[in-house]
Amino acid sequence: MKDQHARSRRKRHRLTPQQSESRAAYMFLMPWFIGLVLITIGPVIASLYLSFTRYNLFSAPQWVGFENYIDLLFWDQVFHDSVIATAIYVLCSVPLILIASLLVAAVLNQGLSGLAIYRSLFYIPSLIGSSVAIGFLWLQVFGDEGIFNDFLGWFGIAGKSWVSDPSTAPATLVALNVWTFGASMVIFLAGLRQIPASYYEAAKMDGASSIAIFRRITLPLLSPIIFFNLILLTIQSFQGFTQAWILSRGTGGPANSLMLYTVYLYKQAFEQLNMGAATAMAWLLLLVIALITGALFWSARYWVFYGDDKQ
Amino acid sequence: MSQVRRLAMHMGLVVALCAMLYPVAWMISSSFKPEAMIFSSPGLIPEAVSLENYRNGWFSQRDATFGLFLANSFIVCGFAIIGNLFGASLAGYAFARLKFPLKRLWFAIMLGSIMLPIHAQLVPQYLLFLKLGWVNTYLPLIVPKFLATDAFFVFLMVQFMRTLPAELEQAAEIDGATFWQRYWRIVLPLSLPALVTTAVFTFIFTYNDFLSQLIYLQELKHKTVPLGLALFLDAGGGSSSFGGLMSMSVLSIGPVLGFFLASQRFLTRGIATQGLK
C-alpha cells in the first residue's frame, strides 16, 4: 500500500527528490545567474576586450593592441600621479583604521558601562562618511577659515588651507577615511566578545600583565577578524572616489594630489570619452587588487591563527 | 579593574568622541546661524537662530528645490531596497537551504564577486545601459539589485538562513509544501532581522552612492541628493552660499541617521555577523 503510493507519486513527478530540489535551487538562483552574466562577469570580460581598443562611444571600437596599456604605464604622467595618490591613500588609511578600531574596541570590551551608546556614537561617522555632505564639511574643517585652524590657533600655530595645498591635501583625505573606523570597530567588538572569559581569568591568575594578555591571547584569537577587516578595508580603500572628488572639487587637484585612481578612471571614461584607456585602467586595477588580496591570503598562513575549533 | 582606570578610560573615550563628532555638531549649529555669523562667531551655541539658510539652500537651484532631490533619492532607494530584498533572499535561500550540483563552485563565485571592484565593470555596464536606452533613467540603479548583484547581501542572507533549524522545513516538507512555500511561508518570515539589515544598509549605501548616480543621472529633474549637493561645487562654493550648503548638508544626512537610530540594534548585529561566521 505504502509502496504503491510512493510509486504513483514518483510517476507523477518523474523527478527524484534530489532532482526536484536541484531544479528548485536553480530556479531560485535564476535572477542571480542573469545578474552574474549581464551585470557582473560579462562586463568584466567586455572591458578586457575594450581595453585593447580605441573607443569614444561614437565610432566603432578600433583594435590597437597593447597601446592603451603602454601609454598609461610609460607615458601618462597623470596616471603615475594617480597611482602614487592611491598608494598613499591605501597605505596610510588601512593601518590607521585597523589600529584605531582595534584600540577603541579593546577599551570598550573592558566591561565599561554604556557600551551600546559608545558603539553607536563611534559608528555614526561610518554611516555618513561617504556622503557628499561630509565631503563639504571636510572642505570647511580643513579650509582657510576652518575649525581645524581655529583649534590650532589656541596653541598659537598659524593655520593654512590644508585641503588646497598639495603637500597636505592627501592627509585630509586619509583623515576622513580614518574617521570612519567605526564599522571595523563594531566587527572587532563582536570578535572580542567571542573570546572566552576563562582565558583571561587563567592569564590573570598566572599574573600576566594586560599588555602580555593583549599580545598573547587577544591578538592571536582575533587574528581571523583582523584579517577579515584588513581585506575589506584594502579593497574599499582602493575604490575611494566620492571624497577625493568633492575635496578636489571634481578636478583631482591640487597638483593631482587627490587624483585617486578611480577619479582618473572616471575622467578618462566620462569626461574625455577614452573608453579604451578607462577599461585598461579597470583591468590594471583588477589585477592589482587580485595580486594584493592573493598576497594577503598567502601571508595569512603565517599570522592568522584559527585555533582548534576551526570547522 | 580599578575605579581610577575605569574613569580614565571613560574620559579618553569621551574626548575621542568629542573630537570626532565636533565637526558634525558645528555643521548642525552653523546651519541655524544667520549667514553673517557662521564665521564671525564660530562657537557651537548660536547667538541667534534663523531658518534663513534652510530657505536659501532649499531654493538654491532655479528650476528645482532640494525637495525634488530628496524625493528622487527616496524613489531610487525604495526600489533598490525592494530589489535587494527580492534578489538576495532568493539566492540566499538556495545557497543556505538547498542541495544542488556545483553548489560549491557557484558559492565561491558569489563570494569572489564581493571583492570585485565596481570600476572593473563600470564602462561596459554603462555601454549596456546606453544601448538599452536606460541612461537618464533610474533603471541602471535599480534593475541590477533585483538580479542580486550586491553579493554582500546574498552572503548576509546565506549566513542568517543557515542558522535556522532544519526541523521547521522538514515538517513543512512532510505536509507537502513546495520549495516556494517553504521559502515564502517559513524561511522568509523567520529571516526578518537579516531582511531589516539588508533594507537599512541598502538604503544607506544607495542614498550615499555618488559615482553611479553621477554617471547615470544627468538631467536636473532626475538628480538625487548627492548630485543636488554637488551642484554647490559648480556654483563656486562662494561664501554667499555657504549657509545654504551647510543646511542642505545637515538635511541630507538626516534620513541616514534616522534610519540608523530606528534600527541600530539590528544593524550592529548585522554587520558584526558578516565578520564572524
Side-chain angles (χ1 to χ4, degrees), chain A residues 96-162:
Chain A
L96 287 174
I97 295 176
L98 280 178
I99 292 168
S101 55
L102 185 52
L103 191 76
V104 175
V107 170
L108 285 182
N109 196 44
Q110 303 284 310
L112 292 179
S113 51
L115 174 78
I117 297 166
Y118 279 126
R119 188 176 54 188
S120 297
L121 289 175
F122 276 112
Y123 184 60
I124 280 177
S126 306
L127 290 169
I128 54 179
S130 65
S131 66
V132 169
I134 295 301
F136 279 120
L137 175 62
W138 232 247
L139 273 178
Q140 198 286 326
V141 169
F142 292 104
D144 248 333
E145 299 179 83
I147 49 185
F148 186 63
N149 282 341
D150 290 346
F151 171 75
L152 291 179
W154 296 351
F155 303 97
I157 302 170
K160 61 174 194 167
S161 182
W162 306 89

Side-chain angles (χ1 to χ4, degrees), chain A residues 21-22 25-26 28 39 43 57 110-111 113 118 120 123 127 131 133 136 140 179 190 225 228 239 245 262 282, chain B residues 1 6 10 20 26 90 98-101 106 118-119 124-125 127 208 210 229 242 252 260 264 272 274 276:
Chain A
E21 185 165 345
S22 306
Y26 277 94
F28 276 101
I39 311 287
L57 286 185
Q110 303 284 310
S113 51
Y118 279 126
S120 297
Y123 184 60
L127 290 169
S131 66
F136 279 120
Q140 198 286 326
W179 188 63
I225 315 252
F228 176 85
Q239 300 186 54
W245 180 269
T262 54
Chain B
M1 199 181 358
R6 201 175 282 266
H10 275 297
M20 282 174 67
W26 181 87
L90 280 181
L98 300 178
K99 289 194 195 75
F100 54 95
W106 295 123
I118 58 153
H119 304 88
Q125 263 181 28
L127 299 176
N208 283 338
F210 179 58
L229 272 182
F242 189 77
S252 79
F260 170 64
Q264 52 172 321
Q274 43 139 331
L276 287 182

Side-chain angles (χ1 to χ4, degrees), chain A:
Chain A
M1 177 68 185
K2 227 180 190 176
D3 244 22
Q4 232 175 352
H5 187 65
R7 214 178 303 143
S8 73
R9 257 180 68 152
R10 200 168 303 157
K11 222 175 250 169
R12 231 185 307 134
H13 290 286
R14 274 194 235 97
L15 287 171
T16 65
Q18 285 89 348
Q19 280 171 325
S20 73
E21 185 165 345
S22 306
R23 203 170 67 164
Y26 277 94
M27 292 306 287
F28 276 101
L29 284 175
M30 199 45 75
W32 177 75
F33 277 123
I34 297 171
L36 186 72
V37 171
L38 289 181
I39 311 287
T40 311
I41 308 259
V44 174
I45 295 165
S47 84
L48 180 63
Y49 164 72
L50 284 174
S51 73
F52 294 108
T53 67
R54 190 175 300 146
Y55 182 42
N56 63 4
L57 286 185
F58 303 113
S59 44
Q62 186 192 348
W63 185 266
V64 293
F66 281 94
E67 195 182 284
N68 291 320
Y69 290 94
I70 292 167
D71 282 350
L72 286 169
L73 290 170
F74 298 106
W75 305 111
D76 187 340
Q77 185 56 48
V78 184
F79 176 81
H80 297 167
D81 292 342
S82 79
V83 169
I84 292 168
T86 309
I88 293 172
Y89 182 66
V90 175
L91 288 174
C92 295
S93 304
V94 173
L96 287 174
I97 295 176
L98 280 178
I99 292 168
S101 55
L102 185 52
L103 191 76
V104 175
V107 170
L108 285 182
N109 196 44
Q110 303 284 310
L112 292 179
S113 51
L115 174 78
I117 297 166
Y118 279 126
R119 188 176 54 188
S120 297
L121 289 175
F122 276 112
Y123 184 60
I124 280 177
S126 306
L127 290 169
I128 54 179
S130 65
S131 66
V132 169
I134 295 301
F136 279 120
L137 175 62
W138 232 247
L139 273 178
Q140 198 286 326
V141 169
F142 292 104
D144 248 333
E145 299 179 83
I147 49 185
F148 186 63
N149 282 341
D150 290 346
F151 171 75
L152 291 179
W154 296 351
F155 303 97
I157 302 170
K160 61 174 194 167
S161 182
W162 306 89
V163 247
S164 47
D165 181 329
S167 65
T168 51
T172 63
L173 187 61
V174 169
L176 178 43
N177 201 12
V178 175
W179 188 63
T180 65
F181 72 81
S184 314
M185 186 207 71
V186 171
I187 296 173
F188 274 137
L189 207 49
L192 285 169
R193 294 170 118 191
Q194 304 273 309
I195 299 175
S198 59
Y199 290 13
Y200 290 117
E201 282 153 19
K204 267 182 206 149
M205 295 264 265
D206 294 342
S209 68
S210 38
I211 291 172
I213 292 176
F214 186 74
R215 276 191 47 203
R216 300 286 170 78
I217 298 178
T218 309
L219 276 186
L221 289 177
L222 207 58
S223 59
I225 315 252
I226 298 174
F227 181 64
F228 176 85
N229 271 336
L230 174 65
I231 296 273
L232 206 69
L233 288 169
T234 306
I235 294 171
Q236 277 172 0
S237 298
F238 265 107
Q239 300 186 54
F241 175 83
T242 308
Q243 301 308 2
W245 180 269
I246 299 294
L247 292 190
S248 69
R249 298 172 188 273
T251 66
N256 292 338
S257 62
L258 295 176
M259 186 69 86
L260 288 189
Y261 199 88
T262 54
V263 173
Y264 190 46
L265 197 158
Y266 173 90
K267 286 181 170 297
Q268 286 275 14
F270 300 103
E271 284 180 3
Q272 291 152 34
L273 298 182
N274 286 332
M275 296 295 170
T279 47
M281 281 189 72
W283 258 84
L284 289 172
L285 178 69
L286 193 60
L287 286 179
V288 168
I289 290 184
L291 279 176
I292 289 175
T293 44
L296 289 176
F297 270 99
W298 172 82
S299 80
R301 67 169 88 177
Y302 298 104
W303 63 274
V304 178
F305 173 74
Y306 281 106
D308 297 322
D309 57 340
K310 192 193 169 193
Q311 292 141 336

Side-chain angles (χ1 to χ4, degrees), chain B residues 126 135-136 213-220 222-223 227:
Chain B
Y126 177 80
V135 171
N136 282 319
Q213 296 172 13
L214 186 66
I215 291 169
Y216 291 114
L217 306 175
Q218 286 138 7
E219 290 170 26
L220 188 68
H222 289 136
K223 284 195 193 270
L227 300 176

